[in-house]
Amino acid sequence: MYGLVNRAIEQLVVSTKGEPAWQLVCARAGVAPGGFVAMCPYDDSLTYALVHAVSEELGMPPEQVLEAFGEYWILYTADEGYAELMQSAGNDMRSFLGNLDDMHGRVESIFPQMKLPRFRVEILEGDVLRVLYGSDREGLAPMVTGLLRGVALRFRQRVVVRHIVTRGPDASEDVFLVEPLTA
Ligand code: HEM
């Protein structure tokens, strides 16, 4: 994945646990802690190695690391110069999620070698959103849970995100429900 993603993992660890923790993560993952170049594509194995090293170093399951990362990503990308792109995707959760593929399409002109995720949104009764996520990569569904929580925070909405279908031989996409909290 592009260095932008690996840098976001670095920033998450440094901002929550400090620079020494990041040095330990890099040592575990066998990565030089010199920093990543945002515009440079790196092998996916490096990103997975970083997630596993963070998981071991901080004593939390890799799924939890991916969730935390997804939430952080929404704030991080907005902070790192993509705020305009994020704003152009919509002013509420429903339209923002519906525009994600278009937005990533525009991101592709900046990161031409990226492998795009695919999102579809359906509206169910009670303003529940059903989000379908397709990807060429394995194991990133917990990150999408975190991303969806991050998007809800961005629009100051209180929601519960449930991952109800896991991609596999019987399902070509992961499915999530985003349910508004009323009380
Ligand atoms: C302006 C904001 C954003 C930028 C600049 C951006 C950029 C990127 C980049 C560079 C990648 C790596 C792809 C690769 O190297 O192959 C990526 C992956 C991904 N992005 Fe975004 N993104 C943005 C917003 C979002 C949002 C809002 C969501 C979802 C709510 C999202 C979901 C994902 C997912 C799930 C992946 C993993 C790709 C996969 O499944 O293979 N992104 N994005």
Side-chain angles (χ1 to χ4, degrees):
M1 280 208 242
Y2 271 97
L4 180 73
V5 175
N6 299 328
R7 269 186 37 191
I9 298 176
E10 171 179 357
Q11 203 152 324
L12 169 64
V13 173
V14 171
S15 64
T16 55
K17 302 290 171 185
E19 185 63 39
W22 175 243
Q23 305 283 336
L24 292 170
V25 165
C26 287
R28 249 184 215 276
V31 172
F36 300 98
V37 179
M39 302 299 289
C40 176
Y42 295 83
D43 201 281
D44 277 5
S45 60
L46 177 58
T47 308
Y48 288 110
L50 285 175
V51 170
H52 279 279
V54 173
S55 152
E56 284 168 2
E57 201 53 51
L58 304 188
M60 57 202 262
E63 293 77 19
Q64 215 176 311
V65 174
L66 282 166
E67 273 189 40
F69 175 64
E71 224 176 282
Y72 182 77
W73 173 256
I74 298 296
L75 304 173
Y76 172 83
T77 45
D79 277 351
E80 274 287 297
Y82 300 98
E84 225 171 275
L85 209 52
M86 292 281 281
Q87 270 155 24
S88 71
N91 293 324
D92 62 83
M93 187 150 188
R94 197 192 287 186
S95 50
F96 184 90
L97 294 178
N99 287 331
L100 267 186
D101 283 5
D102 281 350
M103 192 202 68
H104 262 135
R106 269 175 268 149
V107 171
E108 198 183 14
S109 61
I110 313 170
F111 301 93
Q113 290 178 54
M114 76 185 274
K115 286 196 242 163
L116 297 164
R118 300 171 292 279
F119 287 97
R120 283 188 295 136
V121 186
E122 294 164 2
I123 299 151
L124 308 182
E125 224 171 281
D127 282 333
V128 173
L129 302 179
R130 185 166 179 268
V131 180
L132 299 99
Y133 158 63
S135 172
D136 298 337
R137 297 186 167 96
E138 298 295 326
L140 296 183
M143 172 176 150
V144 173
T145 299
L147 284 162
L148 293 171
R149 289 202 186 118
V151 173
L153 281 173
R154 177 179 170 83
F155 294 111
R156 293 183 176 78
Q157 286 203 7
R158 296 177 60 236
V159 301
V160 173
V161 178
R162 289 199 291 136
H163 182 201
I164 56 164
V165 175
T166 299
R167 175 158 54 102
D170 300 327
S172 58
E173 293 166 308
D174 285 279
V175 183
F176 302 82
L177 289 185
V178 181
E179 301 169 332
L181 274 176
T182 41

